[in-house]
Amino acid sequence: MPLPVVTVLFPARNAEPTVARAMESLLAGTLRDILVLAVDDGSTDGTRAVLDGLAARDSRVEVLDGGGRGLVAALNLGLGTATSPYVARMDADDEALPRRLEASVAALEAEPHLAGVGTGVELFRDDQPVSPSFQAYAAWLNGLTSAERLYRERFIESPVCHPSVCLRREAVVAAGGWRHGDFPEDYALWLELLDRGHGMRNVGEVLLRWRDSSQRLTWTDPRYAVKRFTWTKARYLVRGRGPLADGRPCTVWGAGPSGKTLARLLRDEGATVERFVEVHPRKVGTRIQDTPVVSPDELGPPGRSHLLVCVGVRWAREEIRADLASRGWVEGRDFTCAA
């Protein structure tokens, strides 16, 4: 068997109903020179037997024992085993479209500055419609098809679908792989790679069917709670290439729960939050977290303070962007969208 171009890290735990279909969707892809490292992470159902059967039928499948140590350990076990130039991700309940890996490798070969690419995704559920909020997230993610736009919007949400990603192995190893902690391991890795000067983007083609279910770690594991995402943002806002790394004070546009949480976590990281901006007349002129609240008209010209737009409603965020641009504010230099 020739050396693989891509090694797919495929952790699985108690995924007997879906694991065969997920694996077969990879093996049927147009890129043939792949190795799938299926990490059985302590399954107690028939997952291991299914994986062993797939490996017996196709030499491109190798089964590893993850020992039930969790997703991060399973991914790093696969990463340490891989020797190919690229490593990709796949979950045991999703479905890859045929060109997924071929298109991802082509993008990485054409753009050497990229550490990784995700793909466009199609959401699906077996039991009920996908929620409108998750659909809106997927639509936003699918639009991040340039490295410039993804970098600009990296603090809004996790900008890459984890099981769709294909990465340069050396870049991931140099970044320390996936890290254990009380935070989302995928978002932390994307921000680390971007902070190291690498680019990332999503291929502008839907190449993964991404299953949503009530059992997904996103909904059940506290590491993926909103506060832990916000903490991860705060760390990278103030370090390395972050917009607050130069020590400038910041202003937070939005004094709702998201803005207040971000301000508190930024202070924990050593940043100075000097103002909140609010449109609600009852908040303007008050103090929140002992910080003055001003109206947008009182914002003044860009320069001294970096503005963090912590408004999660997409149409409102776009209105704020347009308003700031009309006043001479430059995104990335003077303000950053952070929700």
Side-chain angles (χ1 to χ4, degrees), residues 28-328:
T30 56
L31 182 64
R32 307 298 296 171
D33 296 336
I34 68 171
L35 172 66
V36 183
L37 293 177
V39 183
D40 175 36
D41 190 35
S43 296
T44 56
D45 63 357
T47 297
R48 180 59 180 262
V50 174
L51 293 176
D52 286 341
L54 289 163
R57 294 195 299 272
D58 195 316
S59 62
R60 296 176 297 164
V61 180
E62 181 178 340
V63 182
L64 304 177
D65 189 346
R69 294 180 296 145
L71 176 62
V72 171
L75 293 175
N76 285 327
L77 173 63
L79 180 65
T81 305
T83 58
S84 58
Y86 303 113
V87 291
R89 276 279 288 110
M90 182 72 178
D91 280 344
D93 60 351
D94 296 330
E95 298 171 17
L97 275 66
R99 294 190 63 255
R100 179 198 157 187
L101 294 176
E102 179 186 6
S104 297
V105 168
L108 291 169
E109 293 282 352
E111 301 173 68
H113 67 287
L114 297 177
V117 295
T119 75
V121 298
E122 173 194 342
L123 303 177
F124 73 104
R125 286 186 71 125
D126 294 330
D127 52 349
Q128 64 189 54
V130 177
S131 71
S133 62
F134 200 31
Q135 292 280 16
Y137 168 65
W140 169 76
L141 183 149
N142 287 352
L144 302 180
T145 56
S146 73
E148 294 75 19
R149 182 174 177 186
L150 187 146
Y151 186 77
R152 185 186 75 188
E153 305 203 2
R154 68 198 186 279
F155 293 116
I156 292 175
E157 246 286 13
S158 181
V160 177
C161 164
H162 196 187
S164 81
V165 80
C166 185
L167 303 155
R168 294 188 196 276
R169 182 176 59 84
E170 289 186 355
V172 180
V173 170
W178 286 266
R179 297 181 182 180
H180 288 277
D182 185 19
F183 51 84
E185 80 294 326
D186 53 346
Y187 191 30
L189 179 57
W190 315 153
L191 291 180
E192 179 66 25
L193 290 170
L194 294 167
D195 194 60
R196 288 168 173 259
H198 299 292
M200 296 188 74
R201 72 174 182 87
N202 291 311
V203 174
E205 185 178 350
V206 172
L207 294 171
L208 182 82
R209 298 191 72 232
W210 192 14
R211 185 188 299 271
D212 182 30
S213 77
S214 58
Q215 302 305 310
R216 287 182 64 229
L217 290 178
T218 302
W219 311 130
T220 61
D221 193 314
R223 291 175 299 167
Y224 306 105
V226 172
K227 186 174 180 180
R228 303 316 299 163
F229 270 91
T230 307
W231 177 82
T232 306
K233 292 179 189 181
R235 290 190 67 211
Y236 282 92
L237 281 163
V238 302
R239 62 176 286 181
R241 297 170 182 264
L244 305 183
D246 59 5
R248 278 187 295 171
C250 70
T251 295
V252 175
W253 188 317
S258 297
K260 289 188 288 187
T261 299
L262 179 61
R264 184 167 59 251
L265 293 171
L266 285 170
R267 291 189 176 102
D268 290 345
E269 296 294 324
T272 299
V273 181
E274 61 179 13
R275 293 180 298 178
F276 286 103
V277 175
E278 260 292 343
V279 297
H280 198 297
R282 291 185 181 179
K283 292 182 179 180
V284 174
T286 66
R287 298 181 74 86
I288 295 176
Q289 298 178 356
D290 201 30
T291 302
V293 181
V294 303
S295 72
D297 292 337
E298 300 173 86
L299 188 56
R304 177 177 173 274
S305 177
H306 193 86
L307 176 64
L308 299 176
V309 178
C310 199
V311 176
V313 179
R314 186 171 182 176
W315 65 262
R317 183 169 65 238
E318 295 309 314
E319 284 191 356
I320 293 169
R321 272 180 163 150
D323 177 60
L324 291 171
S326 72
R327 300 198 229 172

